[in-house]
Amino acid sequence: MTQSPELLRRLLRAKDRMDGASHEEWPVHRLAQVSAVSEAHFARSFKDAFGVPPHRYLLTRRIERAIALLCDSDLSITEVAFQTGWKSLGTFGRIFHDITGETPGNLRARERSVLHGREPVPECVVRAAHRPDLKIAVSEKRREKRVERIEPQSTEAI
Amino acid sequence: MTQGINVVGLYVRDQDEALAFYVEKLGFRVHTDVRNGNYRWLTVQHPEQPSFQLGLFKPGPPIHDAATTQTLSEVVAKGAMPPLVLVVDDCRAAYERLSAYGVEFIQEPVDRYGAVDAGFRDPSGNGWKMIEAKPKSESQESK
């Protein structure tokens, strides 16, 4: 699969826009417009270029930013949820847990208990390194976890 | 100092386009521009940093085979090359000036750790961070 550098450069522009404002809504038509390609073409070529579909990429950026705010600010968890683009605290908490494996509150408490020496590395690099790796869809991840949870019970039944 | 880095190269999509960007917009000047057939060795330098040259190189023959040329061009256009850092005296002023030239900023100036930084891309997709130099007393002498 080869993609022209000109197309990739335009897709990168859409990715940059999500990076710059991950709290905003980024429906495919808006992203396609930034990249100056058709909607149908956009979603597929974005995934080909960057390995994840655009909505899931946006999700990783939001979670990454939420983690940063939880660690580095005193904002309430509700504030963190709203500032990173979620409309409800419940959805934020659920998806956050699905992706990171812990609740926002737990992550904050755990991070606060360890000392960090982050200063020498540029902040954007640290954040990129902390970005969750979403190789599979969140629903898929949730299902996997459910299977894990069910298995011990089924052996008990036997 | 008797040793140091003299040239570091960037891959760009089009050398004329890159030259126009780095010289006309960022204020670099041409150091060397020589051709040998299709091959063009092109470096620019910052007027205040004469010991360092930034090479603007295009992936392609005779250095790269066709597949490698394609791969490198894709990697650059996807913004996957390592970040570059430009040091400026006043990040917000530089942001205003470069924005007016149409430089594609991907991050507006932000205050972080007592310094201001912004981010932009060159036309090829190479990402730059533009960081305001901290006063020497803080950043240099403490090391």
Side-chain angles (χ1 to χ4, degrees), chain B residues 13-34:
Chain B
R13 179 177 54 199
D14 177 297
Q15 286 174 305
D16 287 322
E17 178 189 55
L19 187 62
F21 178 81
Y22 282 95
V23 172
E24 287 160 28
K25 295 186 176 170
L26 291 199
F28 286 60
R29 61 185 174 215
V30 178
H31 181 281
T32 308
D33 186 356
V34 291

Side-chain angles (χ1 to χ4, degrees), chain A residues 1-6 8-9 12-13 15-16 19-20 48-50 72 118-119 121 123-125 127, chain B residues 13 70 73-80 83 104 106-107 112-113 121-126 129 131 134:
Chain A
M1 158 205 73
T2 60
Q3 292 174 288
S4 80
E6 287 75 14
L8 291 168
R9 183 68 182 86
L12 177 62
R13 209 156 274 143
K15 185 163 169 274
D16 284 340
D19 287 343
D48 285 346
F50 300 112
D72 305 335
R118 285 183 177 180
E119 301 264 325
V121 183
E123 211 237 16
C124 51
V125 176
R127 280 171 57 172
Chain B
R13 179 177 54 199
Q70 171 70 21
S73 305
E74 286 182 7
V75 166
V76 172
K78 285 196 265 189
E104 185 179 339
I106 55 178
Q107 180 214 305
R112 268 197 275 250
Y113 304 131
R121 286 197 191 281
D122 78 2
S124 308
N126 291 298
K129 209 80 191 166
I131 301 181
K134 285 185 185 176

